[in-house]
Amino acid sequence: MSKPILVAVAWPYASGSRHLGHLAGAYLPADIFARYHRLIGNDVAMVSGSDVHGTPITVRADAEGVSPSAIAERFHAEFVDNWERCGIKWECYTSTGTENHARVTQEMFMTLLEKGHIDKRRSEQFYDEEVGRFLPDRYVEGTCPHCGYTDARGDQCDNCGRTLDPTDLIDPRSKMSGSVPVVRETEHFYLRLSDFADQLGEWLDSRVGWRSHVLNFSKGWITEGLHDRAITRDLEWGVKIPVDDLGPGKRIYVWFDAVIGYLSAAKELSERRGEPDLWRRFWQNPDAESYYFVGKDNVPFHAIIWPAMLMGNGGLNLPTNVPANQYVTFKGGKASASRGVGLTIGEGLDMFEPDSLRYALAASFPEQSDSDISIEEIARRINEELAATWGNLVNRVLSMIHKNHDGAKPATGERTAEDLQLLATVEELLAKEAKQIESVELKAGLRTAMDSAQAVNIYLNATEPWRSAKTDPERSATVLTTALDAINGVRVGLSPYLPFSSAKLDAILGEPTGWERVDVPDGTPIPKPSPLFPKVDLEALEADL
RNA sequence: GGCGACGUAGCUCAGUUGGUGAGAGCGCUCGACUCAUAAUCGAGAGGUCGACAGUUCGAAUCUGUCCGUCGCUACCA
């Protein structure tokens, strides 16, 4: 039975390059999960897009003397290139800059407004008269009233760590122009989040299979008390507010529209495929499932705010699961492209083969807790695990068959209990891995697939087909065909993780028929193999840095 | 400050509701094999599960305190 699976992935912010932490935290796990579900025949819609609005983009645009859209287009193009290069496969990758997205956002805004979940409130905020802009808290700097630190930001003091209100700052100044900001009154729309506290709490309590850190954090938010949130900003760069009673110069704020992107992207997919009701299969069918792949910093948006918006709107499916990952750290520090910690996705792909990088990151997915990686650790994973266990296994079996059997799979003789046991083991591990992937334990799933490869290595060492080739060629042939038939199952389990090398094997062994092990037909041509994964020369790599 | 975590073999990490002598991968030592990308396979060494106190017949697992690391703190997304 084909089940609709919405794979919703955090919208990368087009203000700069994304790094390997983002790849390991959201995009790669989503891709592995989606590839698995496509392979078992489910109806998958993996959607996301570049988040192109917001203040940081306008600030960067000003700094470079270009338009905000130029910044957004530059990084959107970079992201699309990143996905292409590392095999992140989407049903729909779009951006928040489309006309469709604006319309869907405005529709949901109006629905929430009409149902009384959005209202207007006045507040006071700093305004930079020099650049003519209201200032987000973090763009106001000044002296911390607690510790005297002179470069405290309006939201928080980096020195003493205390949370601040911009008006607390002594000698406030605008980060944009350096001038002294003035306080002006402004009016905005607010989402009445607090109205949903009870409903959200009950919903979260009913979740099963969610990661404990996601539930803990979300419930903690509710326990502390949900604040109503402003969902519009004094900004020219964003989705227009569909009512005009706030006056000009206001836009819908990015976090409000970015999550709506999951819905608008599904509708865009419908349009692209010419099936107007396609999106309903994912959003209104009670049997559909939805998984939101995000980093832990995004948990409140996906486990609290977005569900509240969906509850308020009505008629749309709530998340099945939000399998948020924790952080990947680089040598102990939080990855940050802007601070030069870790590698951008592009840099990672320049250094490593895409499948090799995917393997190393997947083996280190921060599913339970933060995980630490480094270039050395990535290289170790590739050389000592991926190439040694799996790459070498494929190479040794294909080489022997190619050399000893005229480049084609020989006929299989009588299989011994040992032979049958290997094939059974591969099948059992495939089943075990399937359960792990379905419960989004992707790191464990990869380990299971590697266990399967190791089982074949153990089998070969026990049966020694290179030896029997001289004494009992028929037995040797049977061992090799058994190993090949086993490999044919192992590669199915690895295919969601390693799409590029899997495609290479598809060319020899044929496309996978599904999530199952099948025998390779007798006589299948087996060409002289080349290593699936080149070894990483760490010294040469570091010499380039 | 508040909140959420984390601290388990040299390294990176698993350890469901507390219970046979604490695990995996890699590294290391020894051995086997030599088909294969000096790859593979076996055996072994290596940890008072951050510290202290407590609950319990019994705790890495529950409670408290402390030390250390990290993240979040709602106007970065």
Side-chain angles (χ1 to χ4, degrees):
Chain A
M1 282 294 278
S2 179
K3 183 182 278 249
I5 308 275
L6 179 71
V7 180
V9 197
W11 291 58
Y13 195 49
S15 64
S17 298
R18 296 299 102 183
H19 54 65
L20 293 185
H22 295 116
L23 185 58
Y27 307 102
L28 184 50
D31 184 64
I32 292 164
F33 186 80
R35 283 176 184 274
Y36 166 80
H37 278 288
R38 291 186 197 111
L39 187 52
I40 65 170
N42 279 331
D43 188 6
V44 174
M46 176 160 138
V47 301
S48 186
S50 304
D51 185 352
V52 300
H53 294 135
T55 302
I57 286 176
T58 63
V59 170
R60 182 164 188 153
D62 287 352
E64 296 187 14
V66 299
S67 68
S69 62
I71 298 289
E73 281 164 21
R74 181 198 310 166
F75 290 106
H76 176 70
E78 181 178 313
F79 298 162
V80 169
D81 181 58
N82 287 162
W83 311 144
E84 178 75 26
R85 286 176 71 197
C86 64
I88 307 295
K89 185 179 171 185
W90 307 92
E91 268 68 28
C92 180
Y93 186 82
T94 179
S95 92
T96 59
T98 66
E99 194 265 326
N100 169 69
H101 176 70
R103 187 178 60 247
V104 175
T105 299
Q106 289 165 347
E107 282 170 5
M108 184 175 269
F109 182 98
M110 289 307 295
T111 301
L112 291 171
L113 184 67
E114 284 160 10
K115 291 193 174 184
H117 302 305
I118 289 176
D119 58 24
K120 268 188 294 188
R121 302 179 194 184
R122 292 185 166 276
S123 65
E124 296 196 325
Q125 194 169 359
F126 275 120
Y127 182 84
D128 184 329
E129 295 178 307
E130 198 162 311
V131 297
R133 277 210 189 125
F134 278 95
L135 297 169
D137 290 358
R138 64 197 331 256
Y139 285 97
V140 182
E141 294 179 331
T143 301
C144 174
H146 303 287
C147 71
Y149 182 64
T150 55
D151 290 321
R153 295 197 321 241
D155 54 343
Q156 180 175 24
C157 173
D158 283 336
N159 188 49
C160 65
R162 265 180 261 244
T163 306
L164 304 174
D165 188 282
T167 52
D168 295 339
L169 291 171
I170 301 163
D171 299 330
R173 59 183 186 276
S174 165
K175 192 177 174 183
M176 293 190 190
S177 68
S179 64
V180 177
V182 298
V183 174
R184 276 199 192 178
E185 187 173 72
T186 184
E187 187 171 32
H188 283 292
F189 282 104
Y190 282 68
L191 175 67
R192 298 173 58 88
L193 246 197
S194 53
D195 290 352
F196 295 94
D198 292 344
Q199 206 179 338
L200 283 168
E202 286 170 22
W203 176 67
L204 287 172
D205 282 336
S206 70
R207 300 296 88 197
V208 293
W210 281 37
R211 294 181 181 166
S212 58
H213 74 265
V214 175
L215 282 177
N216 284 345
F217 193 80
S218 304
K219 289 178 181 174
W221 252 54
I222 294 175
T223 304
E224 285 174 36
L226 291 178
H227 303 199
D228 296 337
R229 294 186 60 135
I231 56 170
T232 53
R233 288 290 184 279
D234 295 285
L235 199 66
E236 303 282 351
W237 180 237
V239 174
K240 286 182 180 165
I241 301 168
V243 288
D244 59 6
D245 50 355
L246 237 45
K250 311 262 184 182
R251 290 290 186 276
I252 288 176
Y253 178 50
V254 282
W255 71 253
F256 183 82
D257 81 73
V259 287
I260 297 174
Y262 301 122
L263 178 60
S264 65
K267 290 187 173 178
E268 184 175 330
L269 180 63
S270 286
E271 281 176 29
R272 286 191 200 173
R273 292 196 180 163
E275 298 177 53
D277 288 332
L278 175 70
W279 69 273
R280 297 182 194 277
R281 292 220 298 272
F282 297 96
W283 279 102
Q284 297 186 323
N285 175 353
D287 292 331
E289 295 184 356
S290 56
Y291 295 81
Y292 291 74
F293 288 84
V294 302
K296 67 175 166 184
D297 51 339
N298 256 321
V299 167
F301 293 100
H302 294 81
I304 300 281
I305 296 168
W306 178 230
M309 290 164 66
L310 291 169
M311 288 171 179
N313 187 83
L316 297 171
N317 291 343
L318 295 173
T320 303
N321 199 350
V322 182
N325 270 351
Q326 309 247 15
Y327 286 137
V328 169
T329 58
F330 284 83
K331 295 187 172 179
K334 187 192 175 191
S336 165
S338 59
R339 283 180 294 158
V341 179
L343 302 174
T344 65
I345 296 172
E347 288 167 344
L349 289 165
D350 289 341
M351 281 189 181
F352 305 103
E353 294 286 316
D355 272 4
S356 297
L357 184 63
R358 289 171 65 108
Y359 175 83
L361 293 179
S364 300
F365 276 162
E367 293 173 345
Q368 283 82 16
S369 57
D370 291 351
S371 69
D372 196 57
I373 64 170
S374 60
I375 291 172
E376 292 82 356
E377 175 70 2
I378 293 171
R380 184 192 70 71
R381 293 273 194 197
I382 295 168
N383 291 345
E384 313 291 345
E385 296 180 13
L386 180 62
T389 303
W390 172 235
N392 182 60
L393 170 65
V394 171
N395 209 44
R396 70 195 294 210
V397 171
L398 295 189
S399 290
M400 275 189 275
I401 294 177
H402 174 75
K403 261 195 300 196
N404 300 344
H405 298 282
D406 301 322
K409 188 192 182 197
T412 301
E414 185 94 5
R415 276 182 168 148
T416 66
E418 192 176 22
D419 302 341
L420 296 171
Q421 179 57 52
L422 174 68
L423 298 178
T425 297
V426 169
E427 286 162 17
E428 284 162 16
L429 290 175
L430 222 36
K432 177 183 176 186
E433 183 190 346
K435 281 186 185 157
Q436 290 169 322
I437 293 179
E438 285 174 19
S439 52
V440 206
E441 297 169 42
L442 303 178
K443 185 160 65 169
L446 178 56
R447 187 61 242 161
T448 300
M450 291 298 282
D451 286 344
S452 189
Q454 187 176 28
V456 185
N457 274 323
I458 292 170
Y459 167 82
L460 286 172
N461 278 57
T463 51
E464 301 185 311
W466 52 91
R467 182 169 293 188
S468 54
K470 295 165 191 159
T471 57
D472 185 353
E474 199 172 315
R475 174 61 191 153
S476 177
T478 300
V479 167
L480 288 177
T481 61
T482 301
L484 187 68
D485 288 339
I487 284 175
N488 203 32
V490 176
R491 59 113 180 191
V492 169
L494 285 168
S495 64
Y497 296 86
L498 310 172
F500 294 97
S501 55
S502 292
K504 281 191 201 171
L505 290 177
D506 289 352
I508 300 169
L509 303 172
E511 304 253 342
T513 49
W515 194 260
E516 59 183 353
R517 189 205 67 74
V518 298
D519 289 348
V520 177
D522 288 355
T524 297
I526 303 295
K528 182 174 169 55
S530 58
L532 230 36
F533 311 101
K535 289 232 177 176
V536 174
D537 184 342
L538 192 55
E539 287 182 15
L541 212 55
E542 288 179 337
D544 288 343
L545 293 180

